[in-house]
DNA sequence: ATCAACTTGTGAAGAAAATAACAAAGTTGA
DNA sequence: TCAACTTTGTTATTTTCTTCACAAGTTGAT
């Protein structure tokens, strides 16, 4: 344990951004120290799980004291590579896409939507904030030029696979897929699916079949 | 196994809506039978996992043949209570909220956004499709009158907890939270969090630290 | 100084989920 | 009718994740 080069469990890795954001909140509100119990209350993750998660990175806390917010924050900033800006492309500027364009990922995450694509002529050439909207035809060219490695896919599902193939061709390594389609990609490409209908449906299923809620 | 009243593993329950949708697709395209291997290819879930998932509901397939699409579909329709319409409230008609309003959940899921709420005067009284938009002030009254048990929360995060408290007061049992806030609710209420920034951030983390992708 | 109170980090146990592997049963085509 | 093939359902195994529980270190009040 505590070997920084070792791979962290996936479940832990998924919680890191969450921890990071709440530590930022604490920092902003002037808090100097925090215990795993307090953090647990805030992020709704068992305190033992939090301590275990942190322990993969070594001994970050102090017994009887807790964690120094600043130290932890600095540590995670480095670990999460928050200093290096990650450029993201948004594919499909519909309602969902627009929601992303207006979302300030930069603030906490140092992740920036650098370019967007659509097919609607009236959108092309315009910009949302400082994010220019290109025509889908220019996908490969722009993505390669801007050296973009991550894409958010918010297009109608019937186009999802075709566009995915083009993204893979343009050397994109990660896709956040909001389409109901399940994408086929080479194994070197990572896809995270967020399926809104499935999320809603499974919530409904849990409500009907698991009356006493155990928090997800 | 095969006892319909027993509780299904959570991981399985989360995949059911996905299976259901793909079975619908298969049905629409005229397919009569399907093997776990084929389904696996389509939904990107290991075929053994699919067979295991199905087996919680009994022996739905036939050796050497696979599964009858129609039979499976009918079975899941009943199991997932697809015949009973679930009414949902949407809280916050911004870009993200509007994306939901335009999403036809009814089609596959028999889940319907019945009402929406916002505070912007120009939106109140209007409707998106057949979904009326009410003022946030009328939240409790409308939700109780319409007997709504599920809410989708797409409001600015600073209002999330206050509105959640009101939803709980109006007898909502499940909340799909798109806000970065982690909500505090009584244990009888179920909350599913979908945190867009965390999703994006954790995808970026995986790309940087797990070069050879194991699909999530 | 002393000591009660606090809180971490982790070994051990437990729970949940995924995967492997294969007998049994059914299908298909000759 | 039979042999080759297919595919399930499930048992066993492995992997992953969570939680318990507590020794050991630290704090802070007196």
């Amino acid at each position: 344990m505590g070997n920084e080069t070792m791979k962290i469990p996936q479940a832990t890795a998924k919680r890191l951004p969450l921890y990071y954001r709440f530590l930022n909140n604490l920092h902003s509100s002037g808090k100097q120290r925090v215990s795993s119990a307090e953090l647990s209350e805030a992020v709704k993750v068992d305190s033992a799980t939090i301590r275990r998660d942190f322990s993969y990175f070594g001994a970050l806390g102090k017994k009887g004291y807790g964690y120094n917010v600043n130290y932890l924050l600095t540590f995670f900033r480095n670990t999460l590579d928050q200093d290096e800006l990650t450029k993201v492309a948004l594919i499909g500027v519909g309602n969902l896409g627009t929601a992303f364009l207006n979302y300030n990922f930069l603030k906490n995450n140092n992740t920036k939507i650098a370019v967007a694509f659509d097919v609607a002529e009236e959108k092309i050439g315009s910009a949302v904030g400082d994010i220019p909207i290109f025509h889908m035809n220019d996908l490969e060219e722009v993505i390669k030029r801007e050296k973009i490695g991550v894409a958010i896919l918010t297009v109608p599902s019937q186009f999802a696979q075709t566009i995915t193939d083009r993204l893979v061709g343009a050397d994109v390594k990660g896709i956040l897929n909001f389409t109901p389609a399940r994408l086929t990609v080479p194994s070197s490409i990572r896809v995270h699916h967020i399926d809104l209908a499935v999320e809603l449906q499974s919530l409904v299923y849990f409500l009907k079949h698991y009356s006493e809620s155990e928090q997800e």
Side-chain angles (χ1 to χ4, degrees), chain A residues 12 17 23 26 29 35 39 49 55 59 72 74-76 82 94 96 112 115 146 150 176 188 190 213:
Chain A
T12 297
L23 288 170
L26 289 177
S29 68
S35 67
L39 205 47
T49 301
S55 80
L72 213 49
T74 306
F75 184 86
F76 278 124
Q82 292 289 4
L96 186 54
K112 174 156 177 52
V115 296
E146 300 279 333
V150 180
L176 195 56
S188 63
R190 182 153 195 120
S213 146

Side-chain angles (χ1 to χ4, degrees), chain A residues 32-70:
Chain A
Q32 305 279 329
R33 56 183 269 193
V34 66
S35 67
S36 59
E38 283 175 283
L39 205 47
S40 169
E41 170 61 22
V43 300
K44 314 290 181 196
V45 170
D46 187 274
S47 69
T49 301
I50 293 177
R51 292 200 299 282
R52 168 86 53 204
D53 283 346
F54 286 1
S55 80
Y56 292 116
F57 299 100
L60 303 178
K62 223 188 227 176
K63 300 182 184 191
Y65 174 90
Y67 301 88
N68 179 290
V69 173
N70 242 309

Side-chain angles (χ1 to χ4, degrees), chain A residues 8 23 45 53 62 90 122 135 154 162 168 172 207 212:
Chain A
I8 301 301
L23 288 170
V45 170
D53 283 346
K62 223 188 227 176
L90 178 88
E122 71 275 16
H135 193 280
T154 52
T162 309
V168 171
V172 163
L207 291 175
E212 284 317 284

Side-chain angles (χ1 to χ4, degrees), chain A residues 3 12 27 81 83 98 100 149 167 178 204:
Chain A
N3 176 347
T12 297
H27 183 67
D81 297 305
D83 287 331
T98 305
F100 276 106
L167 288 171
F178 283 86
V204 169

Side-chain angles (χ1 to χ4, degrees), chain A residues 199-213:
Chain A
E199 298 290 345
L200 182 56
Q201 199 57 30
S202 81
L203 173 62
V204 169
Y205 181 86
F206 278 114
L207 291 175
K208 293 200 179 160
H209 297 263
Y210 297 68
S211 303
E212 284 317 284
S213 146

